[in-house]
Amino acid sequence: MNPGRSLIAIQEKIKSGNFTISDLVQYYLERIEGAKHLNAYLEVFADEAITKAKILDEKLKNQPDQCGKLIGAVISIKDVICYEGHKVSASSKILNGFESLYSATAVQRLLDEDVIIIGRTNCDEFAMGSGNENSAYGPVINGVGENRVPGGSSGGAAVSVQMDTCLAALGSETGGSIRQPAAFTGIYGLKPSYGRVSRYGLIAYGSSFDQIGVFSHDVKTMASLLEIIAGNDPMDATSSTTPAGKYDFADTRGPQKIAYIDDVLNHPSISPDVKSATLKTIADLESRGHELVPVNFDFLDHVVATYYILTTAEASSNLGRYDGIRYGHRSKEAKDIHELYIKSRSEGFGDEVKRRIMMGAFVLSVGYYDAYFTKAQKVRRLIKEEIENIFSTFALILMPTTPDVAWKLNDKSADPLKEYLADIYTVIANLAGIPALSFPVSQSDNGMPIGMQLMAPQFKERDLLNFVETLH
Amino acid sequence: MVIDDALISKLEKLSRLELREEEKVKVKEDLNKMLGMFDKLNEVDTNDVEPLRYVLDEHSSAIRDDVVGEELDNHKALQNAEESKKPFFVVPKFLKK
C-alpha cells in the first residue's frame, strides 16, 4: 500500500474506496515500527488511532456530510504541545509522567476536523537545541545518511514526516526549530507569523518568539492544516485579531520582486554546497521571470546574539514554574522548601536547559540588564525595521535555511556556541515575527538534503504558500 | 566582562539551581563564550532606539473580559502533583515554631 503524501490524494483514494482510514492507520503504524531505530516518537497512540479510524470509517459511510475538512489526515505532535489526557514531557525528566489537563487550541481545532493524532514526537529538551541531541530520551537520527542529526528542536516531528509515518506534523519554532529540521530532512516546514497560531497549550520557551507550525511533503497539505489552526484565540492574549482568511491557491499574480542578502552568499559560515544551491535557486527563479535583487542587511553578525540574549532571558522566567510543587519532578532529597525547589530543578533539568536558564538570569540581573537585555531589545527593533524596509520594495526574501547540511551526531554537542551559530539564517524571521517557509531544493555532494527558505511580510502566509506552490 | 566563580554561584542562586563541581567548570566556560558573542552587539549604535518588547503592532483588545470561565476542578488541578492532600498541594514545613 502506498497512500501518497498529500492530503488531497489521500482523501480522494479514501473516497474512491482504494483504502479505508483504518488501512491508512495500519500502514502508518507499520512505518513507525520500521523506523523505530530513528527514535522519532516518544509515544505512539496506536490503540486510540485504530479505534478512532474505525469510528471515522463509519462516519464516512453513514454521515458523509458530517465529516470534518481534514478527515484522512493522520499527524504527529511535538512533545511540547498539550493533548488532553495524554502525556507531554518537553523531552525533559522534569515533566516525566505529566499528563495534559487540556488540549492546545491548535490540537483541538484539528481534532474538530477529524484529524487523527498518532503519537508525540521527540525533540530537544524544552525545544532548546538545533540538533535534537538534547533530549532526555536520547537523540533522534536523520532518516537520510548515517548518523546525521535531523536538526532541532523539532527533530522527531521532521523525521516522522520524512519517513512517511504520518501525513504531516505539528512542530514549534522559537528560532528555526521547524525550518531547520525540515531542510535537514528534505521536507517542507512553515513557521507562521508571530501571533498567527494560538500558543495556548504550547509549553513556553521564549514567549515573544514561540509559534506552532507545520511539517509536510507538500504545500497544499500545509495550507489545509494552517487554515484550521490559524486565527485569534481568546485563550492566548498574544494571538492576533487580524483575520487569517482562507489559504487557497487562487493567487494568479505574475512575476515577483524577490530580495536576497548579498552578505549571506559571502558569509564565512556558508558551505560551498549550500552556496551553489542558493545560486542555482536564484537562477531558477530568474528563469521563471521573477526579479532577484541583492540587498544589504547590516545585522547578519548580530542576529544570533540578539536572539540568544532575549530567548535565554524569557526562558529563565518561563521555566521558573518548574518547582516540584504543583507538577513535575519532586526531589526526594530535600529537607525544606528551599531545598525542594533547588534539588527538584537540578535533578530534573538537563545541561542545555540549565545553561540557558543561568545565562538568562545573568542578562536580566541588576547591573547587566541594560547592557544586555535592553540592548538586545533595541537591536531587535533595528532588525525588524530593516526587514520591513526590504519588504517595502520586495514581495519576498530568499535565503538558504541553514549554512550547511545536517551535521554528524556529537559533532557540535560539545560546543554549544557552534550549534547556536548554525541558527544564523533562521532566527531572523523569529526576531521580526514574520512567516517563513523552508522547501527542499537539492542535495549536497554527500547526499544530504538542502533547503531554501522564503520569508514574507507579517501575516502574508497566503502569498508565501501560493508562491512556493508554483515552484515544483 | 568575564563570568567568574563568584558570579556562577550568584547565578545558581538566582536560578534555583545547584551545579556539581565539574558542571560549574563547563558552564563557566560556555557562558563566557556566549558572553563573547553577546558583546558583538556593542558595535551597533542604539542611541535613540526604543526597545522592542512586543513584536505585533496590535495593542488593544488583547485582554479578555473579566468573567469567570471554565476552570480546572480541584481533582484535575492536583492530578499531576507528586504530593497532595485534597484540596491542597503538600509542601515541606517552612514555618518555624
Side-chain angles (χ1 to χ4, degrees):
Chain A
M1 170 172 168
N2 181 10
R5 293 181 164 198
S6 82
L7 180 60
I8 296 173
I10 286 174
Q11 287 184 330
E12 265 169 20
K13 285 181 194 164
I14 291 171
K15 216 169 135 190
S16 62
N18 275 21
F19 50 76
T20 63
I21 299 174
S22 297
D23 296 337
L24 184 63
V25 164
Q26 206 50 54
Y27 167 80
Y28 287 136
L29 290 173
E30 282 163 23
R31 296 284 309 173
I32 289 172
E33 193 56 36
K36 220 173 173 177
H37 59 291
L38 303 176
N39 201 23
Y41 283 86
L42 292 181
E43 190 182 358
V44 181
F45 308 138
D47 293 343
E48 193 187 320
I50 291 168
T51 307
K52 184 142 184 220
K54 274 188 203 146
I55 294 169
L56 291 178
D57 278 328
E58 284 299 310
K59 194 171 170 185
L60 259 177
K61 204 161 46 176
N62 303 325
Q63 309 156 281
D65 49 335
Q66 301 289 306
C67 290
K69 284 184 199 153
L70 299 178
I71 194 159
V74 178
I75 69 158
S76 69
I77 56 173
K78 183 180 179 181
D79 191 38
V80 290
I81 301 173
C82 294
Y83 179 13
E84 188 177 353
H86 296 75
K87 289 194 173 96
V88 62
S89 76
S91 291
S92 179
K93 276 193 294 188
I94 210 160
L95 277 174
N96 188 22
F98 180 89
E99 200 177 287
S100 295
L101 302 179
Y102 54 83
S103 290
T105 300
V107 165
Q108 193 54 54
R109 288 182 180 175
L110 292 175
L111 292 172
D112 291 345
E113 295 296 339
D114 288 337
V115 164
I116 294 177
I117 296 173
I118 201 159
R120 61 185 168 101
T121 55
N122 200 349
C123 57
D124 282 298
E125 185 178 358
F126 284 99
M128 296 177 187
S130 310
N132 215 133
E133 295 178 283
N134 297 331
S135 167
Y137 303 100
V140 179
I141 296 159
N142 197 324
V144 186
E146 256 176 46
N147 293 325
R148 297 272 173 171
V149 300
S153 65
S154 317
V159 172
S160 78
V161 175
Q162 175 191 40
M163 299 309 288
D164 202 24
T165 69
C166 54
L167 172 67
L170 284 192
S172 71
E173 264 217 20
T174 307
S177 287
I178 292 173
R179 284 166 290 151
Q180 188 249 25
F184 280 8
T185 56
I187 62 173
Y188 291 82
L190 171 72
K191 181 203 88 79
S193 309
Y194 181 80
R196 185 68 297 164
V197 178
S198 168
R199 294 185 294 113
Y200 181 66
L202 170 65
I203 293 177
Y205 158 21
S207 300
S208 80
F209 295 81
D210 296 343
Q211 260 306 278
I212 290 175
V214 182
F215 289 94
S216 66
H217 282 286
D218 74 313
V219 178
K220 285 190 169 161
T221 301
M222 180 178 267
S224 305
L225 265 69
L226 182 68
E227 188 171 297
I228 300 302
I229 64 175
N232 182 249
D233 174 18
M235 299 305 279
D236 172 9
T238 64
S239 75
S240 172
T241 50
T242 305
K246 285 210 162 304
Y247 297 123
D248 60 25
F249 289 86
D251 192 348
T252 51
R253 280 175 307 163
Q256 301 286 315
K257 281 185 84 169
I258 303 168
Y260 63 92
I261 295 164
D262 215 17
D263 285 349
V264 166
L265 289 168
N266 304 312
H267 201 266
S269 68
I270 197 168
S271 75
D273 280 330
V274 172
K275 183 173 177 170
S276 73
T278 311
L279 291 170
K280 225 177 123 248
T281 306
I282 292 170
D284 174 55
L285 291 171
E286 281 172 335
S287 75
R288 291 164 185 265
H290 303 293
E291 189 185 344
L292 275 284
V293 182
V295 297
N296 286 327
F297 178 69
D298 289 336
F299 303 108
L300 205 52
D301 287 324
H302 305 112
V303 292
V304 174
T306 307
Y307 170 80
Y308 277 96
I309 291 172
L310 297 176
T311 52
T312 54
E314 293 185 18
S316 77
S317 169
N318 270 327
L319 273 61
R321 73 191 67 179
Y322 301 99
D323 57 8
I325 306 290
R326 292 151 300 153
Y327 46 76
H329 171 73
R330 178 182 281 211
S331 175
K332 307 272 182 287
E333 311 296 321
K335 289 193 283 291
D336 57 34
I337 185 118
H338 189 67
E339 266 195 28
L340 182 68
Y341 296 147
I342 293 174
K343 291 197 183 296
S344 298
R345 290 165 64 77
S346 302
E347 291 166 10
F349 288 135
D351 291 346
E352 181 63 26
V353 175
K354 286 179 189 168
R355 185 154 51 221
R356 293 200 196 188
I357 290 172
M358 288 176 69
M359 194 76 246
F362 171 74
V363 300
L364 289 174
S365 63
V366 175
Y368 304 107
Y369 185 94
D370 284 333
Y372 292 96
F373 185 63
T374 308
K375 177 81 183 181
Q377 286 186 318
K378 290 179 176 181
V379 180
R380 187 179 189 184
R381 180 175 298 281
L382 293 174
I383 291 167
K384 183 172 183 262
E385 284 174 358
E386 180 130 325
I387 291 292
E388 280 166 358
N389 186 41
I390 295 173
F391 284 132
S392 66
T393 317
F394 298 92
L396 300 163
I397 301 172
L398 173 76
M399 215 179 284
T401 309
T402 56
D404 203 348
V405 296
W407 54 86
K408 287 189 179 134
L409 286 166
N410 302 318
D411 235 22
K412 290 192 205 272
S413 49
D415 184 357
L417 202 64
K418 266 205 223 162
E419 196 174 315
Y420 300 164
L421 289 170
D423 299 340
I424 180 165
Y425 305 139
T426 46
V427 295
I428 297 170
N430 308 80
L431 285 162
I434 56 171
L437 201 168
S438 177
F439 54 101
V441 290
S442 57
Q443 288 175 352
S444 63
D445 286 344
N446 57 7
M448 297 309 292
I450 296 175
M452 291 291 137
Q453 58 175 335
L454 280 160
M455 303 177 198
Q458 193 175 61
F459 301 137
K460 296 289 185 193
E461 277 80 359
R462 183 172 175 273
D463 294 357
L464 189 56
L465 292 160
N466 270 270
F467 185 86
V468 179
E469 176 61 13
T470 65
L471 295 184
H472 64 80
Chain B
M1 175 73 214
V2 176
I3 294 180
D4 57 16
D5 292 340
L7 189 49
I8 289 289
S9 313
K10 187 184 157 193
L11 295 179
E12 284 181 85
K13 282 201 190 80
L14 287 173
S15 308
R16 298 287 184 273
L17 290 169
E18 161 183 82
L19 302 183
R20 294 185 307 274
E21 283 310 314
E22 66 272 20
E23 274 183 302
K24 278 186 202 173
V25 176
K26 174 85 171 102
V27 164
K28 192 169 79 176
E29 185 192 320
D30 290 338
L31 295 193
N32 276 310
K33 275 191 198 168
M34 287 173 80
L35 217 55
M37 172 178 76
F38 292 173
D39 285 336
K40 257 194 108 49
L41 293 191
N42 294 328
E43 296 168 3
V44 183
D45 179 3
T46 51
N47 275 327
D48 303 323
V49 178
E50 272 295 299
L52 181 77
R53 298 198 174 86
Y54 186 53
V55 79
L56 290 186
D57 296 325
E58 306 163 13
H59 289 291
S60 55
S61 73
I63 295 171
R64 271 182 290 150
D65 291 335
D66 189 14
V67 288
V68 177
E70 205 182 309
E71 306 284 338
L72 287 182
D73 65 41
N74 185 254
H75 171 77
K76 267 187 149 185
L78 295 177
Q79 181 187 310
N80 281 302
E82 205 127 311
E83 218 181 317
S84 63
K85 195 173 172 190
K86 256 191 147 189
F88 301 113
F89 296 109
V90 174
V91 297
K93 220 171 241 175
F94 59 91
L95 288 175
K96 291 198 176 97
K97 275 185 187 167

